[in-house]
Amino acid sequence: MEYFVSLERALEIAKKVQVELTCTYSLLDEAHGRILTDDVISLVDDPPFDNSSMDGFAVKHADTTDPPTRLRIVGTSQAAAVSASIHVSNGEAARIMTGAPMPPGADAIIMVEKTTVSEDGEWVELQAQAKPDWVRKRGENLTKGQVALSAGERLTPHHIGLAATMGHPSLSVFSPPRVSIISTGDELKQPGEELEEGEIYESNSFGIAGLVKESGCVPMRKNACADSLDELRAALDEAAMESDVIITSGGVSMGEWDLVRKIMEEEGEIHFWRIKIRPGSPPLFGLWKGTPIFGLPGNPVSSHIVFRMLVKPWIMSQFGVEGSLETIVPARLLEDLKATTDCHTLRRIFVYPQEGELVASLKTHQGSGNLHSMVAANALTFLPPGSTAKSGETISVILL
Ligand code: AMP
Ligand code: MG
């Protein structure tokens, strides 16, 4: 067991444990949030044919360079209508709808707003030059066979729309790993129940379930477990049976009642305990009866930050995704921050542009129990150990 390791080292240790993942085909309707197992190529040119990006008239550009111009209307090109019968010659124009194929002979579009049609409907007058740019060329977005989605990408609505555009009815995705989430603590009550003296509402399992979902896994949120070795053992055994990964919250610090640490020491297998980040230094990682387990801290901010910095990169590595998942940008501090000498410090900050640069200020107090500080923030500081973090310094921040 390694003790108090850097974030990098913690990930290195955790990545030695792999879960076995299987693949499945998912229909597009069910693919949101799933992770691609393979690169996806386009089955067609996008767009598949030259077409108009405007309602208007298809014309020869050379005819329109000296407006106003009068052209004879020779037909109409509508979406999906065969336009081969229309041919635009010099002095001619064809009515065209957005997305309709360009008729042969035409090379530019004039928008309908810049035209007037004669009363008999035979002639159109153009008040401006037609634009070749308003023709969307075949394959200008993607060509057939081009890779447009990559293995390891999480499918957002944009990905799914693009997969459909490229002609795929389904996609090869990972069967999502099942992740059990067990909160621990005698003081925890479900929201909706009446609080007795000394009790608080249990929040970690709900927040972590969302984080798990956003990482392409299926959360299995359990009822909070009391601070009892027997109850904890039963909950961990059940979780190991029915899920691929276990996440606990609470009970991993140094105290007498930190039973997750205690039971893992006595009956599980700890690979590391404590990592060099603030907030969030208490976590442990190891195996419970062969199932990987992350013991996250109980403090709500700490558990969310440790998930983001440690658990999520580990999950993504199971999907074959390596490297930083974060967008890190420079920002100038508007006030002094407290950093630590031995840990990376992740303060919840609010960044905004000011005179051409991003500036950062604290909005809320930084207690690791204050989950409102996460909601109010749009970034986290990423201060290396020993940073001074004085007002005016430019530091690295992680955009949330
Ligand atoms: P622990 O790590 O168990 O000592 O918990 C640290 C702090 O986090 C204590 O103030 C707990 O009451 C609080 N806490 C632990 N688990 C949760 C939870 N699931 N939801 C909200 N707060 C929690
Ligand atoms: Mg506790």
Side-chain angles (χ1 to χ4, degrees):
M1 192 263 275
E2 291 187 37
Y3 177 72
F4 204 33
V5 294
S6 69
L7 194 53
E8 238 180 350
R9 178 67 190 143
L11 255 173
E12 207 172 85
I13 296 170
K15 281 180 187 176
K16 289 187 184 142
V17 174
Q18 299 274 321
V19 290
E20 228 171 86
L21 297 181
T22 54
C23 311
T24 178
Y25 276 94
S26 172
L27 291 172
L28 295 189
D29 281 328
E30 279 120 44
H32 182 250
R34 311 292 288 272
I35 312 277
L36 282 174
T37 59
D38 293 293
D39 293 349
V40 181
I41 60 163
S42 185
L43 302 177
V44 292
D45 288 333
D46 172 33
F49 49 87
D50 292 358
N51 67 87
S52 174
S53 65
M54 295 281 167
D55 288 331
F57 288 85
V59 299
K60 284 187 180 297
H61 179 250
D63 278 350
T64 72
T65 52
D66 189 18
T69 315
R70 212 167 98 97
L71 300 172
R72 201 166 67 82
I73 299 172
V74 292
T76 301
S77 179
Q78 278 170 281
V82 182
S83 63
S85 58
I86 315 170
H87 186 280
V88 174
S89 304
N90 286 108
E92 294 179 343
R95 282 181 197 275
I96 194 161
M97 313 300 153
T98 303
M102 284 297 284
D107 60 10
I109 296 292
I110 178 89
M111 69 201 291
V112 72
E113 291 87 338
K114 296 274 163 64
T115 65
T116 318
V117 174
S118 65
E119 251 171 46
D120 61 7
E122 301 266 323
W123 298 88
V124 59
E125 190 180 88
L126 281 54
Q127 277 93 47
Q129 282 199 33
K131 292 199 177 180
D133 289 354
W134 285 341
V135 180
R136 301 190 287 213
K137 296 299 244 180
R138 172 180 184 154
E140 72 176 14
N141 305 332
L142 293 173
T143 52
K144 187 174 172 179
Q146 186 178 338
V147 173
L149 299 173
S150 303
E153 284 181 343
R154 180 172 178 271
L155 295 167
T156 67
H158 312 310
H159 291 76
I160 292 169
L162 184 58
T165 302
M166 298 193 296
H168 295 277
S170 62
L171 294 167
S172 176
V173 295
F174 287 104
S175 295
R178 291 151 303 169
V179 180
S180 286
I181 302 160
I182 305 166
S183 287
T184 70
D186 285 340
E187 74 282 24
L188 304 176
K189 267 274 174 73
Q190 288 290 302
E193 291 176 8
E194 202 61 40
L195 288 184
E196 309 282 334
E197 184 63 27
E199 293 178 338
I200 59 168
Y201 288 123
E202 196 280 296
S203 69
N204 286 346
S205 72
F206 296 97
I208 293 168
L211 293 167
V212 163
K213 226 181 201 171
E214 283 179 5
S215 308
C217 302
V218 175
M220 299 169 71
R221 211 181 51 72
K222 306 292 185 178
N223 285 333
C225 186
D227 288 319
S228 126
L229 283 175
D230 288 339
E231 223 180 275
L232 192 54
R233 187 181 303 108
L236 291 175
D237 282 347
E238 188 184 288
M241 291 283 288
E242 61 183 32
S243 56
D244 304 293
V245 182
I246 304 169
I247 295 177
T248 62
S249 87
V252 284
S253 302
M254 315 269 196
E256 182 73 8
W257 288 102
D258 286 321
L259 297 185
V260 175
R261 177 187 48 77
K262 195 160 177 196
I263 203 168
M264 282 296 291
E265 273 171 1
E266 290 168 3
E267 303 172 38
E269 191 183 309
I270 301 181
H271 295 188
F272 66 74
W273 176 38
R274 305 198 67 221
I275 61 176
K276 292 182 179 173
I277 65 171
R278 286 278 168 78
S281 58
L284 62 76
F285 172 80
L287 295 174
W288 179 264
K289 317 233 161 118
T291 301
I293 173 167
F294 288 89
L296 303 189
N299 276 310
V301 173
S302 308
S303 71
H304 285 226
I305 286 182
V306 173
F307 186 97
R308 186 179 184 108
M309 303 309 292
L310 177 70
V311 185
K312 184 166 185 185
W314 179 83
I315 290 173
M316 294 314 289
S317 79
Q318 305 301 305
F319 296 131
V321 178
E322 295 294 342
S324 175
L325 306 171
E326 304 294 355
T327 305
I328 299 180
V329 298
R332 188 168 54 80
L333 290 175
L334 292 182
E335 55 205 279
D336 291 355
L337 296 189
K338 256 187 14 210
T340 59
T341 52
D342 51 356
C343 294
H344 267 92
T345 307
L346 295 109
R347 302 265 173 240
R348 279 75 70 206
I349 52 172
F350 192 78
V351 296
Y352 55 95
Q354 191 182 80
E355 288 165 18
E357 63 177 346
L358 269 189
V359 292
S361 69
L362 295 172
K363 254 196 156 176
T364 47
H365 95 81
Q366 297 286 308
S368 56
N370 179 17
L371 205 47
H372 183 236
S373 70
M374 283 300 278
V375 172
N378 62 4
L380 297 172
T381 65
F382 196 55
L383 295 165
S387 300
T388 47
K390 293 281 176 227
S391 172
E393 274 181 42
T394 297
I395 61 158
S396 293
V397 308
I398 295 172
L399 298 181
L400 291 175

